[in-house]
Amino acid sequence: MKVSYNWLKDYLKCDLSPQQIADIMTSIGIEVDGVEQTEAVPGGLAGVVVAEVLECEAHPDSDHLHITKVNDGTGEPLTVVCGAPNVSAGQNVLFAQIGSVLPGDFKIKKSKIRGVESFGMICAEDELGIGSSHDGIMVLPADAKVGTPAREYLNLPTEAVIEYEITANRVDAASHFGVARDIYAYLVLNGIPCRLVRPDVSAFKEGRGEGIPVEVKDGDGAPRYTGITVRGVKVGPSPEWLQKKLMAIGQHPINNIVDVSNYILFGLGQPLHTFDAGKIRGGKVIVRRAAEGEIIRTLDGVERKLSASDMVICDTVGPMCIAGVFGGEDSGVTEATTDVFIESAYFDPVSIRRTSKSQGLQTDASFRYERGCDPGITLCALKRAALLIQELAGGTIEGGIKEIYPNKIERKRISLDYSRIDAFVGQKIGSEKIKTILEALQYNFVEESASGAVVEAPSYMVDVYRPADVVEEILRIYGYDNIALPHHMKMSVCASPTPQPEAVRNQISNFLAANGFTEIMNNSLTKGAYYEGLSTFPAEASVKIVNPLSSDLNVMRQSLIPGGLEVVAYNVNRQIYRVKTFEYGSVYRRVTDKGPETLEGYEEHPCFTLMLSGEGDKNWTGSVRKGDFFQLKGTLELLLKRYGADIYQMREEAAPQDIFSEGSAYFLPGPQGRQLAVLGTVQPSLAKKFGIKQPVVAAEIDWNVLFTLIKRNKVRFTELPQFPQVRRDLALLMDEGVRYADLRAAAFKNAKGLLRQVGLFDVYRGKGIPDGMKQYAMSLVLRDDSRTLTDEEVERTVTRLLEVFKNQFGAELR
């Protein structure tokens, strides 16, 4: 958001610089991003100086051009070709040097005009953006000093604009007056001379006649509605002062009627809407809920279908605008407008937010309404707008103000205990300072005593309900930096679980990062279309968002894999083909069977997801390692081994085919064991939906199941082996259906005392291998921790294992 320094000083009379104002804003909780100095003329006429025309003669090849010699104070006179009829020798002029940029992004370059080189330009008013005359060049007084920058000579005004941000509960600071009010409280507390100027509407007078009547059919959606009719206005450009104020904060002036509405919006924080009274059919304004499916064409030319929860401003025929959000095309002010109806209202914030999100419209008005405007300023803003329209567009007020305010919104009463405030703050502020701050912020003191007070919160403070909220306002103005830290601080030590979940998560993240993976973070909101056609994550199990920001963020994610695929696609589209990522985050889904992790039919649990895609860089041997299923499985195996879990002791099933073309799902041992992880190559058809053509391997780990395993793990110390180990390699021919995991399990079962490791280092199918068969090249590592094994013991063990492989799996030694 932006505030203009000059505009701010219309409400706050003080002698502070823009930077001092910005520093105060930050200290009272309005975070300033920066202070920007803007010029009245874009670019500030840099490179334009006062110069003297030394010589002037007619151009030999033109009947209107002149060849001049110009002294710009930099040295040798410059030749300049000029087409102005009033140029002559002896004049002082404004001269644009080569390289300067004039308004309209017109850059001055060395040029050749009718065969004569020209080294700059002698300027007219309109070329400099300081006037509209183009009858000739600007001729300056004789005492104008050559070489003086045009900005300095013309004394061009500058405008300081402060850019800032507000939190969702500080909509009261979304206007110049709101910011001025907060700064005023700070200045009063610190004894700095200042004065807060409130809008003066004492000149407002009601007119004759009745004006356009108003009927509010839904008081819940529009608790307070006011309007006034002004007839005989003349629509035209706004005066220069109003245009400059709006342009300073990035707003484009439209016409005097619309600009008044924007001036009130950004000046006082109250949104207004002005209707062409001649287009109000039936001569009556009706405030109601829309009929389901009712259509309105808005100012952007879009036909929008309304729902029964949307508030609309109507005439007797149909909607004229979406209340508090956007105007209608058929009721807006045009150059032909002569009569207007001005609306100033307080709409229900929840209703406005719902409509804004469902219609996908975020306007300056809806931004303020949905956060809670000040219901107390509605009438003042209306009167101020009516007076300004009369001043800038003429016209007369017809009738009185139409106000529908059946249930007055009372100011909230809050009891304060000064001793509790001191305890809350941690030091004594004092009742006098508290009263100074609150009165400057427009609190009313209803009751007072030595120990406390009863105050009424101002209507603009929509989030103040309790004493703690008032203390926050006091501290904001008093300054958190003024709260001294005590010499001794007391704190309690809380017992933490062992192992600590956060510490384990960090260890896993560090392990993955050390193995070349990059951590990513995706939004928990995602596109519901990702889950259409999937049985593992059915679309009907998605947790849907009632008022989504867009169709791309309309459900909570059921899996981290789609988000990971988005990241892969993003990188591949930017020619980064090797992608290794991991992510930790929660997934969500609707469930029918409520379990211990569910709340009213919803389930949430955290996961780790690993993604691998693309080829790696060439190494010194010239080979390239491709990212494949086994590489990611090795990472998963190492990760589980790090915490004492063996992937080969888990129950293994095929991975879901709608997500993976090949892969495995791993479950804790036992028929009822929970799924720990799923690993596989992503279905090419699924990857194609994200625009990915290269293979992608993914693994998703259920964090709750993994942490259960980790808690079971008991760390024990074992000395390094003192005796050597022996390795034997076997080439086994077996049926295609035999699994390595089964061979490994059988080996450990039959050689418990000596077998330390079993490895698979080659799988061969091809020449010399019968159809339906394959060859496994396996390694066996044997060791006895109490003595050195003899050759006979090793051979005996290997022979026994070969017999087991043959009898159980039909495997033959080649």
Side-chain angles (χ1 to χ4, degrees), residues 476-488:
R476 193 169 56 80
I477 303 301
Y478 181 75
Y480 288 98
D481 291 341
N482 294 324
I483 305 300
L485 289 175
H487 294 294
H488 301 284

Side-chain angles (χ1 to χ4, degrees), residues 307 309-310 350 353-360 525-526 542-551 553-556 590 602:
S307 69
S309 63
D310 298 331
V350 174
R353 177 173 174 78
R354 184 183 297 116
T355 299
S356 174
K357 299 306 177 187
S358 65
Q359 294 293 337
L525 299 177
T526 187
S542 294
V543 180
K544 296 180 174 60
I545 306 302
V546 177
N547 293 313
L549 296 174
S550 71
S551 58
L553 300 170
N554 59 353
V555 300
M556 305 291 284
R590 293 175 61 92
Y602 295 96

Side-chain angles (χ1 to χ4, degrees), residues 721 723-730 754-759 778-785 787-798 801:
F723 300 96
Q725 63 186 23
V726 178
R727 170 172 169 153
R728 290 289 186 269
D729 293 340
L730 306 176
L754 301 180
L755 188 61
R756 304 299 176 185
Q757 295 179 26
V758 177
M778 297 174 57
S779 64
L780 306 175
V781 177
L782 307 172
R783 188 185 69 244
D784 192 316
D785 292 335
R787 58 190 176 82
T788 301
L789 291 172
T790 64
D791 290 342
E792 291 78 8
E793 291 172 319
V794 172
E795 293 302 325
R796 190 164 51 248
T797 302
V798 172
L801 290 178

Side-chain angles (χ1 to χ4, degrees), residues 540-747:
E540 57 270 19
S542 294
V543 180
K544 296 180 174 60
I545 306 302
V546 177
N547 293 313
L549 296 174
S550 71
S551 58
D552 290 341
L553 300 170
N554 59 353
V555 300
M556 305 291 284
R557 61 189 178 191
Q558 292 191 57
S559 168
L560 300 183
I561 291 176
L565 291 173
E566 284 183 340
V567 173
V568 173
Y570 183 88
N571 283 271
V572 169
N573 291 338
R574 286 154 182 81
Q575 299 181 0
I576 302 173
Y577 300 106
R578 177 64 166 176
V579 183
K580 291 178 70 175
T581 66
F582 75 93
E583 180 177 11
Y584 174 82
S586 292
V587 296
Y588 314 82
R589 66 182 303 174
R590 293 175 61 92
V591 292
T592 52
D593 298 326
K594 298 182 180 180
E597 297 173 352
T598 66
L599 177 64
E600 298 180 356
Y602 295 96
E603 179 188 66
E604 173 187 353
H605 69 270
C607 293
F608 267 103
T609 292
L610 285 63
M611 308 289 292
L612 177 60
S613 182
E615 297 181 346
D617 296 330
K618 287 187 177 181
N619 57 30
W620 63 276
T621 64
S623 61
V624 176
R625 185 176 185 185
K626 296 182 179 180
D628 58 15
F629 171 85
F630 295 103
Q631 186 178 350
L632 194 59
K633 182 180 179 182
T635 302
L636 178 62
E637 185 177 346
L638 284 174
L639 174 61
L640 295 178
K641 190 175 182 180
R642 168 72 176 77
Y643 295 102
D646 187 351
I647 196 173
Y648 296 104
Q649 293 181 2
M650 297 178 184
R651 180 165 55 89
E652 183 178 354
E653 295 182 4
Q657 295 299 303
D658 57 334
I659 305 294
F660 302 102
S661 58
E662 58 178 355
S664 300
Y666 298 97
F667 297 79
L668 297 184
Q672 302 300 320
R674 298 167 64 189
Q675 180 175 299
L676 168 65
V678 61
L679 165 72
T681 302
V682 176
Q683 279 282 6
S685 58
L686 179 59
K688 189 176 181 181
K689 290 182 179 180
F690 294 83
I692 304 172
K693 297 180 180 179
Q694 64 189 39
V696 181
V697 188
E700 189 159 89
I701 307 167
D702 188 315
W703 162 254
N704 292 337
V705 180
L706 176 62
F707 192 65
T708 300
L709 275 178
I710 293 172
K711 287 192 291 186
R712 295 177 187 172
N713 183 38
K714 304 298 181 183
V715 178
R716 294 188 297 271
F717 169 75
T718 303
E719 290 185 356
L720 290 173
Q722 299 179 2
F723 300 96
Q725 63 186 23
V726 178
R727 170 172 169 153
R728 290 289 186 269
D729 293 340
L730 306 176
L732 300 175
L733 183 66
M734 65 196 72
D735 188 78
E736 185 68 52
V738 177
R739 301 190 317 149
Y740 163 72
D742 297 331
L743 292 169
R744 185 179 184 277

Side-chain angles (χ1 to χ4, degrees), residues 765-783:
R765 301 175 181 88
K767 187 177 180 180
I769 304 297
D771 291 341
M773 306 288 283
K774 62 184 175 183
Q775 175 185 289
Y776 273 175
M778 297 174 57
S779 64
L780 306 175
V781 177
L782 307 172
R783 188 185 69 244

Side-chain angles (χ1 to χ4, degrees), residues 174-188:
S175 67
H176 286 76
F177 182 74
V179 173
R181 181 173 48 208
D182 272 11
I183 297 173
Y184 170 75
Y186 175 90
L187 298 179
V188 168

